[in-house]
Amino acid sequence: MHNYFILSDEELFDLVKKNEEPAFNELYNRYKRPMVGLALKKLDDDDAVEDIVHDLFIKLWANRENIQITQHFKSYIYRALRNKILDYFAHQVHERKYLDSLRLHGEGFVESADHQIRERQFLAELDRLMDKYSSQDRIILKMRIDGYSNTEIAEHLGLSEKTIRNKYSLIIKDLGGKLKILALFFFFLGT
């Protein structure tokens, strides 16, 4: 039986690699609060920060046997946190561009009767693509396209903000390529 709180981070991680959950719990307890504090300086979203830190530790546990740390554990874990934050920012930028392009694409159709017909066809095709999703998922996508925040959607549907964020992410990943092809098809119809 180990006295985990007196072990170094590196000794703890060696035990983690041997599937010792108490060693993992000790590392988690040592680093969670400081990592959340640091991440909050970079992001102004408590839920996102909690998710990032939690996901980082989940991946650490899941990949423990394959991780080779050549420096101090502290350096490794903070570099991993920095990378997760950068990934979060990249995802936010990509998501915002995607929503903006959908919104602009919809607004561009209003110019003439021909464009209005194409808009109706585009929206009908979008509805057809959305048929495979639950009514709740369709509401989430429509509200996001209309500019509602995750918090507003969560309140409207009586779900947690994290649930909305996760559901929306899955919808966007699944629809991403299909909507781009659909938008290009209707764009070229009008030229």
Side-chain angles (χ1 to χ4, degrees):
M1 179 88 178
H2 295 282
N3 196 356
Y4 294 104
F5 66 88
I6 64 169
L7 296 176
S8 72
D9 296 342
E10 291 74 23
E11 291 169 322
L12 286 170
F13 190 69
D14 286 340
L15 293 172
V16 168
K17 291 182 84 152
K18 296 175 185 172
N19 299 324
E20 289 200 31
E21 285 186 47
F24 174 78
N25 291 337
E26 177 63 27
L27 281 173
Y28 180 81
N29 290 331
R30 283 183 190 181
Y31 283 95
K32 181 188 183 232
R33 184 170 290 158
M35 291 173 72
V36 165
L38 179 65
L40 281 171
K41 292 178 182 176
K42 307 292 181 192
L43 299 173
D44 191 22
D45 184 342
D46 292 351
D47 290 337
V49 165
E50 289 284 335
D51 290 347
I52 287 169
V53 172
H54 186 72
D55 288 349
L56 192 149
F57 277 98
I58 287 172
K59 286 184 179 171
L60 181 74
W61 178 256
N63 298 313
R64 65 191 173 278
E65 295 170 358
N66 301 321
I67 296 173
Q68 298 298 321
I69 299 177
T70 58
Q71 70 264 16
H72 294 288
F73 178 81
K74 184 176 187 174
S75 299
Y76 171 83
I77 200 76
Y78 279 109
R79 190 176 77 243
L81 176 63
R82 183 198 64 179
N83 291 339
K84 288 286 255 176
I85 291 170
L86 291 173
D87 289 347
Y88 175 82
F89 282 131
H91 177 74
Q92 292 299 99
V93 167
H94 177 71
E95 182 179 298
R96 177 57 42 210
K97 284 182 182 177
Y98 184 71
L99 283 176
D100 289 345
S101 72
L102 275 179
R103 204 172 285 120
L104 288 173
H105 185 72
E107 290 169 2
F109 277 130
V110 180
E111 294 175 7
S112 71
D114 183 49
H115 285 111
Q116 289 174 359
I117 291 169
R118 280 187 279 140
E119 178 182 19
R120 282 193 299 274
Q121 289 173 328
F122 176 79
L123 293 175
E125 194 62 24
L126 179 59
D127 285 342
R128 189 188 65 72
L129 286 174
M130 291 299 296
D131 280 345
K132 75 176 190 174
Y133 296 100
S134 69
S135 61
Q136 191 176 68
D137 289 347
R138 289 191 299 265
I139 290 169
I140 291 169
L141 182 61
K142 173 142 179 36
M143 289 182 78
R144 283 303 304 264
I145 289 172
D146 290 342
Y148 289 93
S149 70
N150 286 336
T151 304
E152 293 168 323
I153 298 169
E155 288 172 6
H156 177 75
L157 294 175
L159 299 170
S160 74
E161 187 176 348
K162 182 178 180 182
T163 299
I164 298 300
R165 193 170 42 248
N166 290 342
K167 283 179 164 278
Y168 180 70
S169 241
L170 291 173
I171 294 167
I172 291 299
K173 283 178 187 172
D174 185 51
L175 280 179
K178 295 172 191 163
L179 285 178
K180 287 177 187 171
I181 292 168
L182 187 60
L184 284 172
F185 174 74
F186 281 102
F187 172 77
F188 284 116
L189 262 181
T191 57

